[in-house]
Amino acid sequence: MGKRRRALAVIVCLWSLISLSGAARLSSGSKQTLEVRKHLRRLNKPAVKSIKSPDGDVIDCVPISDQPAFDHPYLKDHKIQMRPKYHPEGLFDEDKVATSAKERANPINQLWHVNGKCPENTIPVRRTKEDDVLRASSVKRYGRKKSRSIPQPRSADPNLINESGHEHAIVYVQGDSFYGAQATINVWQPKIQQSNEFSLSQLWLLGGSFGEDLNSIEAGWQVFPYLYGDNNTRLFTYWTRDAYRTTGCYNLLCSGFVQINSEIAMGATISPVSAYQNSQYNISILIWKNQNEGRWWLKFNNYVLGYWPSSLFSYLANSASMIEWGGEVVNSEPEGQHTSTQMGSGHFAEEGFGKASYFRNIQVVNSSNYLNAPKVIGTFTKQSNCYDIQTGENGDWGRYFYYGGPGKKP
């Protein structure tokens, strides 16, 4: 009888432990769910209209005064500026690029446009889904890059050159005060080996050191399954004032960037994209600072999208000290080998037009608000057997370069 009671007591004790453990797991899961849903309510503002894109995205048309930017403590009483007071002078004339039918690029749009447009006085915002947030390492890190993802070409520190698994093929200028930059970027859909890796092509405007005080404004196109849940090529922006540690984010996934345009959605799919030995498609990106008002404006193709207020930054509140153009991939070294994630078209620079990806008409804005081609440029790539770069200059394309590659060869 005593043995039975002891056995029963052991069973009851074990059952209690199992129940407590299960309750703890349930409590933890419920806490995460509540945290995710609270974050979604912050990001997904009430919309006057919603548009379902063929790729599965939902684009919410949010009143311009209710956009995420105004959650930022520095922008609580911010008055929206609906247009820049002036543009840079000397913008490269894209019309004269089309001198050769072979090297003429086609118009490009965002995929959601086929199903509608947002009304005036709203901005299109890609709706964040619960699965998007759950793919991140934490709610706090959702929509943010990891630290040290900027190429520092002249660093002697091998850890910085490796950039914690980030690899680059870039052109850069430094040693002056820059008030903007522009480029026309060939658009592709590179293959990604692992969902936590990405491939992008962009401009960087940088200020400060490459330590914890780095300021950066970035824009271009990217393929990033971990962030978007698919392998589509998407327009993106990014900003930070502390080297990606606690400030800034992709697109409109935090407060900061003030959007004024009702036609282009940050993070939305770009369509169509270039094909090997076939039609080529480009986007043009221009970022410039109105020095009097202190705002960094963003122009995508012919659309002025909005601006980053200078109050978001420390060094970039004045000017940029370095500009970079080019490609970046994450190399997570799956199975201990270099990734086969592609950069650009996935082909090396030497293959040229229709095969390799390119940047053309790269220009910088000087203190006189004039755009011109940089006189002296540097190039940087760590593993040219995976991703390389070749520069050139001519009357049609101005300063240009081809770049990219297949990563690890099969």
Side-chain angles (χ1 to χ4, degrees):
M1 190 74 176
K3 289 182 179 179
R4 286 183 181 177
R5 285 179 180 171
R6 283 196 296 274
L8 184 60
V10 168
I11 290 169
V12 170
C13 185
L14 287 171
W15 178 253
S16 299
L17 288 171
I18 291 168
S19 298
L20 286 170
S21 174
R25 284 197 300 272
L26 186 62
S27 175
S28 175
S30 299
K31 185 179 178 182
Q32 184 191 33
T33 300
L34 289 173
E35 191 179 5
V36 168
R37 289 177 181 171
K38 184 178 178 182
H39 194 60
L40 289 173
R41 284 195 296 273
R42 279 197 298 267
L43 293 177
N44 296 326
K45 305 297 185 183
V48 300
K49 177 182 178 180
S50 295
I51 300 166
K52 183 72 180 289
S53 175
D55 61 0
D57 281 357
V58 176
I59 304 299
D60 290 323
C61 304
V62 175
I64 192 168
S65 57
D66 296 338
Q67 64 181 288
F70 303 122
D71 292 337
H72 197 287
Y74 293 171
L75 302 177
K76 288 296 183 185
D77 299 314
H78 183 81
K79 184 178 179 181
I80 302 172
Q81 184 174 338
M82 291 306 296
R83 62 180 59 85
K85 290 183 178 177
Y86 53 81
H87 289 68
E89 297 179 24
L91 187 64
F92 197 98
D93 185 1
E94 279 294 311
D95 291 336
K96 72 180 182 181
V97 170
T99 55
S100 164
K102 174 189 170 189
E103 298 187 354
R104 186 178 296 133
N106 298 288
I108 202 165
N109 290 300
Q110 291 192 309
L111 196 56
W112 66 276
H113 289 165
V114 302
N115 287 337
K117 291 185 177 180
C118 285
E120 289 186 18
N121 298 316
T122 68
I123 66 164
V125 181
R126 179 182 181 268
R127 185 183 299 175
T128 301
K129 301 171 185 174
E130 189 169 327
D131 286 345
D132 294 333
V133 183
L134 290 173
R135 282 191 301 272
S137 58
S138 69
V139 171
K140 190 176 180 181
R141 293 303 305 171
Y142 172 65
R144 290 180 172 168
K145 285 187 177 184
K146 292 182 179 179
S147 298
R148 290 186 174 179
S149 65
I150 293 232
Q152 186 179 2
R154 294 190 175 181
S155 172
D157 182 346
N159 187 44
L160 279 178
I161 291 177
N162 183 52
E163 305 299 341
S164 302
H166 292 246
E167 293 190 22
H168 305 83
I170 63 159
V171 159
Y172 65 93
V173 293
Q174 60 182 357
D176 202 350
S177 294
F178 303 103
Y179 295 87
Q182 89 95 31
T184 298
I185 312 173
N186 199 201
V187 180
W188 294 80
Q189 187 177 13
K191 292 184 172 63
I192 311 297
Q193 183 176 347
Q194 303 279 113
S195 64
N196 64 333
E197 297 178 337
F198 64 62
S199 181
L200 59 77
S201 297
Q202 68 168 70
L203 291 73
W204 291 260
L205 286 81
L206 306 172
S209 70
F210 280 81
E212 295 181 349
D213 63 350
L214 181 74
N215 288 204
S216 182
I217 292 175
E218 308 168 26
W221 62 260
Q222 71 179 165
V223 178
F224 193 3
Y226 203 59
L227 181 61
Y228 301 106
D230 59 31
N231 285 43
N232 292 350
T233 302
R234 295 172 177 272
L235 171 69
F236 85 96
T237 61
Y238 202 97
W239 71 273
T240 181
R241 64 174 287 161
D242 62 356
Y244 308 103
R245 290 184 302 131
T246 61
T247 63
C249 61
Y250 282 109
N251 308 323
L252 302 181
L253 296 178
C254 67
S255 54
F257 182 82
V258 179
Q259 183 158 339
I260 61 170
N261 181 274
S262 64
E263 297 182 69
I264 301 297
M266 303 289 198
T269 298
I270 297 171
S271 178
V273 297
S274 303
Y276 189 76
Q277 291 186 301
N278 209 319
S279 298
Q280 299 298 295
Y281 295 90
N282 299 331
I283 60 172
S284 291
I285 299 285
L286 167 63
I287 300 171
W288 82 100
K289 187 180 185 192
N290 276 181
Q291 295 178 53
N292 295 335
E293 65 197 29
R295 290 166 184 166
W296 289 95
W297 288 87
L298 171 66
K299 186 176 183 181
F300 166 77
N301 292 345
N302 293 319
Y303 302 97
V304 176
L305 300 191
Y307 55 89
W308 292 271
S310 60
S311 58
L312 297 175
F313 304 102
S314 51
Y315 293 97
L316 286 178
N318 300 310
S319 61
S321 56
M322 189 173 193
I323 309 289
E324 298 175 348
W325 301 262
E328 176 184 355
V329 300
V330 171
N331 173 24
S332 62
E333 297 188 351
E335 300 176 357
Q337 296 183 320
H338 193 287
T339 184
S340 60
T341 286
Q342 298 173 339
M343 181 188 292
S345 68
H347 293 262
F348 287 116
E350 64 188 21
E351 294 194 42
F353 185 83
K355 300 176 182 178
S357 189
Y358 57 80
F359 280 60
R360 72 185 188 205
N361 314 330
I362 64 171
Q363 296 177 291
V364 295
V365 182
N366 63 20
S367 59
S368 300
N369 194 45
Y370 198 87
L371 267 161
N372 48 40
K375 294 177 181 177
V376 179
I377 58 173
T379 62
F380 173 78
T381 185
K382 188 189 175 195
Q383 298 198 52
S384 58
N385 61 324
C386 295
Y387 315 107
D388 70 353
I389 189 166
Q390 290 183 5
T391 64
E393 185 172 10
N394 63 37
D396 287 342
W397 281 22
R399 280 271 194 175
Y400 69 88
F401 62 91
Y402 288 97
Y403 71 101
K408 183 194 72 174
K409 294 179 181 178

